[in-house]
Amino acid sequence: MTSATQRGVARIQKAGDGALSQTGNIVQLFVDVARQLFVRPFQWREFIQQAWFIASVTILPTALIAIPFGAIVSLQTGSLIKQLGAESFTGAASVLVVVQQGSPLVTSLLVAGAAGSAVAADLGSRTIREEIDAMEVLGINPVQRLVVPRVLAMVLVAMLLNGLVAVVGIAGGYFFNVIVQGGTPGAYLASFGALAQLPDLYISTFKAAIFGIIAGVIAAYKGLNPKGGPKGVGEAVNQSVVVTFLLLFFANLIITAVFLQIVPPKVG
């Protein structure tokens, strides 16, 4: 084995060890958040401030993205179903796609991109200013004081925005299907219950909550562990967004697979 090959193997091994180490640290932070969740006093003021901030930076982009998303789903499914000769199921298929898959992912990506980056930047700036170390010296747990309210705020806002995306997406799909494609309003509305069912709404809300937890914990971990001063904070913000996106899609795959095994699809 040549020296170049050995160096390459060593780099790969180092990268793998670093990834495993970060995974363990993230899991440990998640456990700490779960433990500190029940420690009193709960930081209600911080929680409300963070929830309001996250909602303020995500609600408008979420609504604006939900409209074209619902339109794309409606136009694509409407065209495909029309080719199959099952126009009466256009509304059901659109609702199923938007509620079960679309709204949680759209919400989580915006929460992770807008709110997660802000949380990582805030905690990262506190870390490099040694505020986190000062809190620990004073006997204040930074996880209970700063991380728990932010994670819970992201979970709450993600669940609320998930409902907003579902409503706006379905309304946009209805408009484009009826107005653009010449569909029948009554048939579109009547077909909602043909394929969709109540567990689809439950799994959508559950996904949003899980995605909010993932985005909050990843952003908090990266913010609490920046490297290299202010430049490291910027890198931590970018890394938090990228890692969160990857984990969200992976989590969505697992949750969807388990859900489809537990809850059988409804036959129209």
Side-chain angles (χ1 to χ4, degrees), residues 22-32 217 221:
Q22 283 201 14
T23 301
N25 293 334
I26 291 172
V27 173
Q28 182 61 50
L29 179 60
F30 173 78
V31 174
D32 292 341
V217 172
Y221 171 77

Side-chain angles (χ1 to χ4, degrees), residues 115-125 218-220 222-224 233 236-238 240-241:
S117 59
V119 168
D122 177 46
L123 294 179
S125 62
I218 297 296
K222 290 297 183 180
L224 293 175
V233 175
V237 171
N238 294 333
S240 69
V241 175

Side-chain angles (χ1 to χ4, degrees), residues 133-219:
D133 295 335
M135 293 177 65
E136 293 177 346
V137 170
L138 294 173
I140 302 173
N141 191 326
V143 174
Q144 193 267 342
R145 180 65 179 80
L146 299 176
V147 177
V148 170
R150 284 165 172 75
V151 173
L152 291 182
M154 294 182 76
V155 172
L156 175 63
V157 174
M159 294 172 66
L160 296 177
L161 290 180
N162 178 69
L164 174 65
V165 173
V167 172
V168 175
I170 293 173
Y174 171 84
F175 174 81
F176 279 89
N177 179 261
V178 174
I179 303 301
V180 177
Q181 294 182 315
T184 305
Y188 188 93
L189 296 175
S191 65
F192 278 11
L195 298 177
Q197 49 187 335
L198 200 56
D200 295 324
L201 181 60
Y202 296 156
I203 194 63
S204 177
T205 306
F206 177 74
K207 282 183 179 181
I210 295 298
F211 295 164
I213 294 174
I214 293 175
V217 172
I218 297 296

Side-chain angles (χ1 to χ4, degrees), residues 13-265:
Q13 184 177 3
K14 183 178 180 181
D17 293 340
L20 290 175
S21 177
Q22 283 201 14
T23 301
N25 293 334
I26 291 172
V27 173
Q28 182 61 50
L29 179 60
F30 173 78
V31 174
D32 292 341
V33 170
R35 289 176 177 174
Q36 296 299 322
L37 180 64
F38 302 99
V39 175
R40 296 296 178 265
F42 181 76
Q43 304 299 323
W44 286 104
R45 182 176 180 180
E46 188 78 16
F47 168 72
I48 294 173
Q49 289 177 346
Q50 292 300 319
W52 175 256
F53 168 74
I54 294 172
S56 65
V57 299
T58 55
I59 187 170
L60 182 59
T62 301
L64 293 178
I65 290 179
I67 296 174
F69 177 79
I72 292 173
V73 171
S74 178
L75 293 174
Q76 188 65 44
T77 56
S79 176
L80 179 61
I81 291 178
K82 188 175 182 180
Q83 295 177 9
L84 298 175
E87 292 88 344
S88 59
F89 290 99
T90 302
S94 300
V95 170
L96 191 64
V97 173
V98 170
V99 171
Q100 190 182 116
Q101 299 295 332
S103 56
L105 279 179
V106 170
T107 300
S108 61
L109 293 180
L110 285 171
V111 169
S117 59
V119 168
D122 177 46
L123 294 179
S125 62
R126 291 172 182 263
T127 301
I128 64 173
R129 292 197 304 263
E130 299 183 350
E131 292 183 18
I132 303 299
D133 295 335
M135 293 177 65
E136 293 177 346
V137 170
L138 294 173
I140 302 173
N141 191 326
V143 174
Q144 193 267 342
R145 180 65 179 80
L146 299 176
V147 177
V148 170
R150 284 165 172 75
V151 173
L152 291 182
M154 294 182 76
V155 172
L156 175 63
V157 174
M159 294 172 66
L160 296 177
L161 290 180
N162 178 69
L164 174 65
V165 173
V167 172
V168 175
I170 293 173
Y174 171 84
F175 174 81
F176 279 89
N177 179 261
V178 174
I179 303 301
V180 177
Q181 294 182 315
T184 305
Y188 188 93
L189 296 175
S191 65
F192 278 11
L195 298 177
Q197 49 187 335
L198 200 56
D200 295 324
L201 181 60
Y202 296 156
I203 194 63
S204 177
T205 306
F206 177 74
K207 282 183 179 181
I210 295 298
F211 295 164
I213 294 174
I214 293 175
V217 172
I218 297 296
Y221 171 77
K222 290 297 183 180
L224 293 175
N225 298 277
K227 297 179 180 179
K231 181 182 178 181
V233 175
E235 293 176 352
V237 171
N238 294 333
Q239 290 174 5
S240 69
V241 175
V242 173
V243 173
T244 302
F245 281 6
L246 293 175
L247 290 179
L248 290 180
F249 284 105
F250 185 69
N252 181 63
L253 173 63
I254 295 177
I255 296 174
T256 302
V258 173
F259 173 74
L260 293 178
Q261 294 296 322
I262 297 176
V263 180

